[in-house]
Amino acid sequence: CEDWHYDTNIIIQVVVRLLGKHRYFIFLHIFFVIVAEYSFITRNSILYNKRAKVTIFNSILPTFALNNLFSILTAMSNPFFRFKQFTIRHDKCGMKVGTDGVLLGAWAGTEACSRILDIGTGTGLIALMLAQRCKAVIDAIDIDADACLQAQENAESSPFAGRINILHSSLADFAQAGTNRYDLIVSNPPYFVDSLRCPDRQRNTARHTDTLTLEDLLQDSRKLLAPQGRVALILPYDQKERLADCIRAQHLFLSKEVSVIPVSGAQPKRLLAELSTDTSASPTFSSRLTIEMARHQYTDEYIDLTKDFYLKM
């Protein structure tokens, strides 16, 4: 699909849950259907086309189907995602490793940070990326107990275990009880508003705003900011105006924004935003980031942003 960076992982996870333990048998059946259809179309042997002198495995259709089939199976069955300096396990979390988290973890400014807060940490991906980029102490909170266990597991197996604290708490409770002030607060927040729910409670919590609205996120984040602190977010691009309204209500200022374009020629799909209480942060510095020129042909700017994390960048 056009917005494959953000949708493919969702589709895969839905398929996994629907098919359950029988998914390998079903995909094997699909493969044989593809082979049989190709054989019928060519009106020749399944394994060898004597007339064309081309094996089925060299032909375009079966090769395409086979490659994509095995790619999907691998993605579905892999409970972890390996980065250059750490590994993220995501089998217990409603939200898996995705482009949004990687973008925010690589982009958020960490200069002069001694303490960072990650709101809705999930697997702990963003917290671990920030720990790799700076020496700050990082508190990471999540309302989901299973997500906290997963994030703790990922943090403890990383080189940064001594600087990451995983806490099971809602933002409202944390802001009310918290005594620390943070130089940087980051969040890849839930963003579905009044949308259709899926049967998975964890995914609903991670993706829908019932448990954390954008307004509440900014209100509580402002209470936890140090005097020169900043808030870094990633949101759907169509929430840009809503974000502007929330910023004004909380007397914050938009210091930086990046419109994220999934593939060259497409419209922006995500917005990276940095907010500050500092009035000198205005006017806003705006830029664009294109992820791909074509399928798997990444732009130089995206490679520069993520090369310290992805294994194959």
Side-chain angles (χ1 to χ4, degrees):
C1 60
E2 181 179 327
D3 194 14
W4 70 272
H5 282 284
Y6 310 113
D7 295 334
T8 303
N9 186 57
I10 297 170
I11 293 168
I12 287 172
Q13 295 306 319
V14 170
V15 171
V16 169
R17 293 177 187 277
L18 287 174
L19 299 184
K21 65 182 180 180
H22 304 295
R23 59 184 180 267
Y24 296 105
F25 298 104
I26 294 173
F27 271 95
L28 189 61
H29 172 73
I30 292 171
F31 171 69
F32 282 119
V33 169
I34 292 169
V35 173
E37 287 292 331
Y38 179 77
S39 176
F40 174 78
I41 292 168
T42 58
R43 299 170 185 248
N44 282 290
S45 166
I46 291 179
L47 295 178
Y48 191 78
N49 183 335
K50 294 181 180 179
R51 189 174 182 180
K53 301 296 184 184
V54 177
T55 63
I56 189 171
F57 300 105
N58 289 335
S59 57
I60 295 174
L61 178 61
T63 302
F64 174 82
L66 185 64
N67 288 343
N68 282 276
L69 177 65
F70 287 147
S71 295
I72 292 172
L73 283 172
T74 301
M76 288 168 53
S77 61
N78 200 346
F80 63 88
F81 196 104
R82 196 178 303 280
F83 292 89
K84 286 184 176 177
Q85 294 193 32
F86 56 87
T87 296
I88 295 291
R89 299 193 68 86
H90 51 198
D91 53 299
K92 299 183 182 73
C93 282
M95 291 302 293
K96 313 304 177 184
V97 171
T99 306
D100 286 6
V102 173
L103 281 170
L104 182 58
W107 177 80
T110 58
E111 58 277 4
C113 287
S114 60
R115 198 164 199 106
I116 296 173
L117 175 64
D118 178 15
I119 298 171
T121 192
T123 62
L125 169 63
I126 296 171
L128 282 161
M129 292 180 70
L130 296 175
Q132 179 179 321
R133 295 177 54 210
C134 69
K135 300 298 183 183
V137 173
I138 300 171
D139 294 333
I141 65 172
D142 203 291
I143 198 171
D144 185 83
D146 289 336
C148 289
L149 290 173
Q150 188 98 83
Q152 187 69 43
E153 175 186 5
N154 291 329
E156 287 177 352
S157 64
S158 78
F160 321 112
R163 293 191 287 115
I164 299 178
N165 306 307
I166 308 298
L167 305 165
H168 180 209
S169 174
S170 68
L171 175 58
D173 291 342
F174 188 80
Q176 185 175 6
T179 56
N180 292 318
R181 293 296 176 263
Y182 296 92
D183 305 299
L184 175 65
I185 297 176
V186 296
S187 185
N188 175 14
Y191 50 76
F192 284 144
V193 181
D194 297 328
S195 298
L196 183 66
R197 304 297 197 269
C198 75
D200 190 316
R201 176 193 59 80
Q202 284 183 307
R203 289 187 66 80
N204 285 333
T205 300
R207 295 173 62 78
H208 294 266
T209 59
D210 297 25
T211 55
L212 182 63
T213 65
L214 184 57
E215 292 80 2
D216 290 341
L217 171 62
L218 295 188
Q219 181 178 2
D220 288 332
S221 293
R222 201 183 195 293
K223 298 174 185 176
L224 294 166
L225 279 177
Q228 301 299 317
R230 292 162 286 119
V231 179
L233 308 171
I234 185 165
L235 295 168
Y237 192 80
D238 61 13
Q239 291 196 18
K240 185 174 181 178
E241 291 186 7
R242 183 182 172 207
L243 176 63
D245 292 339
C246 294
I247 289 172
R248 284 191 293 271
Q250 296 303 321
H251 305 290
L252 294 167
F253 302 92
L254 182 63
S255 53
K256 289 194 298 185
E257 64 174 6
V258 178
S259 302
V260 181
I261 300 168
V263 64
S264 182
Q267 294 299 310
K269 296 294 184 181
R270 291 291 185 269
L271 179 72
L272 288 162
E274 182 185 271
L275 318 178
S276 172
T277 58
D278 186 3
T279 56
S280 66
S282 296
T284 303
F285 176 77
S286 299
S287 62
R288 288 193 165 204
L289 170 67
T290 301
I291 294 177
E292 290 185 322
M293 297 303 295
R295 178 75 158 143
H296 294 320
Q297 296 179 16
Y298 298 105
T299 62
D300 290 342
E301 55 188 343
Y302 183 69
I303 292 173
D304 287 342
L305 182 65
T306 61
K307 64 185 179 183
D308 290 338
F309 303 98
Y310 282 132
L311 289 175
K312 296 183 179 180
M313 285 293 191

